Amino acid sequence: MLRDLAAFMLLLPALHAADPFEGVRDSIRRQLAETSVPSVAVAVARDGRIVWEEGFGWADREKRIPATAHTMYSLASISKPFTATGLMVLVRRGAIVLDKPVNDYLGSAKVRARVGDAAQATVRRVANHTAGLPLHFQFFYRGEPNRPPSRDETILRFGNLVAAPGEGYSYSNLGYGILDHVIARASGRSFAEFMRTSVFFPLGLTRTSVDFGPELEDYAAVRYGSDGLPIPPYEFDHDGASAVWSSAHDLVRFAMFHLKAHLPEQKPILPDDLIDAMQNPTAAIGANSGYGVGWRVDDHPAGRIVSHSGGMPGVLTDLRMVPSEKLAVVVLSNASAGLPQRIADQIVSALLPAWKPSRNQPSAPNLPIPKQLLGSWKGHLSTYKAEIPLTVRILESGDVHAQLGTQLKMLWNDTRWDGVAIRGRMPGDLGIEECARGPRVLQFTLTPRGNVLNGPVSATSEMGRPRPAGAVTQWVELTRQ
């Protein structure tokens, strides 16, 4: 027995060295202590099997419930690959055609074109963020009087194309809110029910849900705000963009399906060619990046990276796949601090020596404002309720003065000309019920088109607040004076 114990002690260093994740574990524990992030859950799969899954910290600090690999986390925008998978199930069944106008699958509430042709806003373009839909996200907190409107009402209020379809990539939660409505209409079931019966259960994802009912509350991580306090549960008017919850264990198995691992307990809800089609980038984000149907795709020295991340109040998430290595990495957190991306980088670096974290895309240049834009522009800011008079005066100094209706004259902050549009922001009120939920900053993106200056204006609440209300977008149309 002593001889066996001595042999085991000699083997311990080798076992320790063989574990590529020990350094990551130590780093996670240290970072949780340094940042006061409540918890992190990770999962890693390679070559068709899960090689590591673990939870760290507290899923619920107040109830002292520890995080595990089976704790359900709010996924934020990692909901989009799930919604896209449900969409492709209906494509496989022939109920949806990707290159048909999305309006063909909507009811009386349809998207409308402020620029371009609404018939060119296809399902595929909505799915790859090139339909021209605007910035949009809304959070409706439990205990507050505001409730999510119907999807038809959201489309009627905010379903404006603010860029010509196919013109370029512009990330929009509203697009995936429209897609969850398309899925519900095409399937004849609610979005949550269709996803449960046609995606989650066939893939064996028992801790995955669109939102969750009382039966799953004990398994869900509480979302925590920047003040360290629990954030009340909240809903959206874009469930397909943001409302899915899942565990690290389930999410890495979802990734394994998209790596074509063909797990025996998973039904083949999509053939391999449709999985490939989802990962085919049909919209350019940058020189080496694109977006397919629900997935971001980056060309990297370590191989092609197929991924999605998510972030919103009390949530930050990261999912990465390296198909050439049959590798999937999941990191979930119940706070909006930047740990998941750093931890995911550490995990991939431990497995792929060629890995280096991607650099941030350079920001748009701030160029001198062209002389033809100088002077006064007058017109309206059009909301779904009214047209509000708006005057904008662009000075040679680069300053921009604006007056909306009878509100005070304001000086734009952060004014930029990027060669296509002039951008700036100022406090203001659009006079719609969404803006009554808290102070808003109006973010303008106005493009000159002859003697017209037009474009979207987004009313955005402060994201640093523990309970931001979100952002909604309307339209500005000005003519030269």
Side-chain angles (χ1 to χ4, degrees):
M1 185 172 177
L2 289 175
R3 192 181 308 127
D4 292 342
L5 179 60
F8 178 74
M9 295 301 291
L10 288 172
L11 187 60
L12 271 180
L15 291 173
H16 182 79
D19 183 354
F21 306 115
E22 192 58 36
V24 182
R25 285 189 185 90
D26 293 341
S27 177
I28 291 172
R29 295 185 185 104
R30 183 175 64 253
Q31 291 181 81
L32 287 180
E34 291 172 351
T35 62
S36 297
V37 169
S39 74
V40 163
V42 302
V44 181
R46 195 166 193 183
D47 295 324
R49 65 186 186 91
I50 298 174
V51 296
W52 180 34
E53 55 181 359
E54 191 169 351
F56 302 83
W58 299 106
D60 186 328
R61 278 176 170 163
E62 288 67 35
K63 294 182 179 178
R64 310 304 283 177
I65 299 174
T68 75
H70 298 281
T71 299
M72 295 176 67
Y73 285 80
S74 174
L75 296 186
S77 284
I78 298 180
S79 301
K80 293 179 177 71
F82 278 103
T83 299
T85 302
L87 179 72
M88 296 302 276
V89 168
L90 291 172
V91 169
R92 182 189 189 187
R93 295 177 185 175
I96 293 174
V97 177
L98 287 178
D99 294 313
K100 279 192 173 183
V102 72
N103 277 342
D104 287 2
Y105 301 99
L106 298 176
S108 57
K110 299 184 185 295
V111 300
R112 302 164 304 282
R114 295 287 190 173
V115 181
D117 179 6
Q120 298 302 311
T122 62
V123 176
R124 187 189 303 277
R125 283 176 168 162
V126 174
N128 70 14
H129 301 288
T130 64
L133 289 161
L135 175 71
H136 182 94
F137 52 95
Q138 292 204 84
F139 310 123
F140 300 89
Y141 299 89
R142 183 183 294 175
E144 294 183 355
N146 303 90
R147 304 307 331 134
S150 70
R151 197 68 78 247
D152 279 345
E153 187 63 31
T154 292
I155 294 170
L156 288 172
R157 292 181 181 185
F158 305 112
N160 298 304
L161 305 184
V162 299
E167 186 174 80
Y169 173 89
S170 185
Y171 191 84
S172 178
N173 286 317
L174 179 58
Y176 273 76
I178 290 171
L179 290 181
D180 74 50
H181 194 44
V182 166
I183 288 170
R185 288 178 54 83
S187 68
R189 299 182 177 185
S190 72
F191 173 65
E193 175 65 13
F194 175 81
M195 293 298 291
R196 185 178 70 86
T197 58
S198 298
V199 178
F200 304 151
F201 281 8
L203 295 183
L205 310 180
T206 59
R207 293 280 180 93
T208 303
S209 176
V210 176
D211 206 345
F212 57 84
E215 71 280 1
L216 293 175
E217 281 189 357
D218 290 343
Y219 305 107
V222 173
R223 293 182 282 218
Y224 288 88
S226 56
D227 55 5
L229 298 176
I231 298 174
Y234 54 85
E235 300 174 89
F236 317 88
D237 62 351
H238 44 83
D239 285 5
S242 311
V244 176
W245 290 68
S246 188
S247 66
H249 175 80
D250 272 14
L251 188 54
V252 83
R253 293 174 73 246
F254 174 72
M256 293 165 77
F257 171 77
H258 281 277
L259 288 172
K260 298 182 259 187
H262 301 298
L263 302 180
E265 66 274 20
Q266 292 187 331
K267 295 181 180 178
I269 59 173
L270 293 179
D272 288 355
D273 64 319
L274 287 186
I275 291 174
D276 290 338
M278 293 180 67
Q279 299 175 22
N280 176 35
T282 52
I285 299 175
N288 299 304
S289 302
Y291 202 96
V293 181
W295 291 113
R296 179 183 172 115
V297 183
D298 294 273
D299 290 327
H300 190 280
R304 171 164 282 199
I305 311 298
V306 179
S307 68
H308 219 292
S309 59
M312 60 191 187
V315 181
L316 207 64
T317 58
D318 200 292
L319 166 59
R320 304 180 189 181
M321 301 184 294
V322 187
S324 62
E325 300 289 334
K326 300 180 181 179
L327 173 65
V329 175
V330 167
V331 187
L332 308 177
S333 179
N334 56 342
S336 54
L339 284 188
Q341 286 87 350
R342 294 200 297 269
I343 294 168
D345 278 332
Q346 291 175 314
I347 293 171
V348 179
S349 297
L351 298 172
L352 303 181
W355 175 259
K356 290 182 180 179
S358 299
R359 296 180 180 178
N360 293 329
Q361 293 285 342
S363 59
N366 190 8
L367 304 171
I369 298 174
K371 290 185 178 180
Q372 60 265 33
L373 289 187
L374 303 181
S376 293
W377 300 79
K378 290 186 178 180
H380 293 87
L381 192 161
S382 300
T383 74
Y384 63 82
K385 288 187 67 176
E387 293 201 340
I388 308 171
L390 174 65
T391 300
V392 172
R393 189 172 176 221
I394 305 173
L395 305 181
E396 192 170 357
S397 64
D399 286 346
V400 176
H401 298 261
Q403 183 171 20
L404 178 62
T406 59
Q407 298 173 42
L408 292 175
K409 290 182 180 179
M410 303 295 295
L411 176 68
W412 278 11
N413 297 313
D414 304 322
T415 303
R416 303 176 64 84
W417 167 254
D418 62 10
V420 175
I422 187 168
R423 304 168 187 270
R425 55 205 302 269
M426 70 180 197
D429 183 358
L430 298 186
I432 56 179
E433 64 183 66
E434 289 78 9
C435 290
R437 299 178 58 204
R440 298 285 176 135
V441 172
L442 305 184
Q443 301 181 0
F444 294 85
T445 304
L446 305 182
T447 300
R449 296 178 172 92
N451 286 326
V452 173
L453 188 64
N454 61 20
V457 55
S458 299
T460 305
S461 58
E462 296 179 29
M463 289 306 293
R465 297 164 65 93
R467 297 189 197 179
V472 295
T473 301
Q474 301 285 247
W475 184 254
V476 167
E477 189 89 16
L478 306 173
T479 56
R480 180 184 293 283
Q481 300 302 297

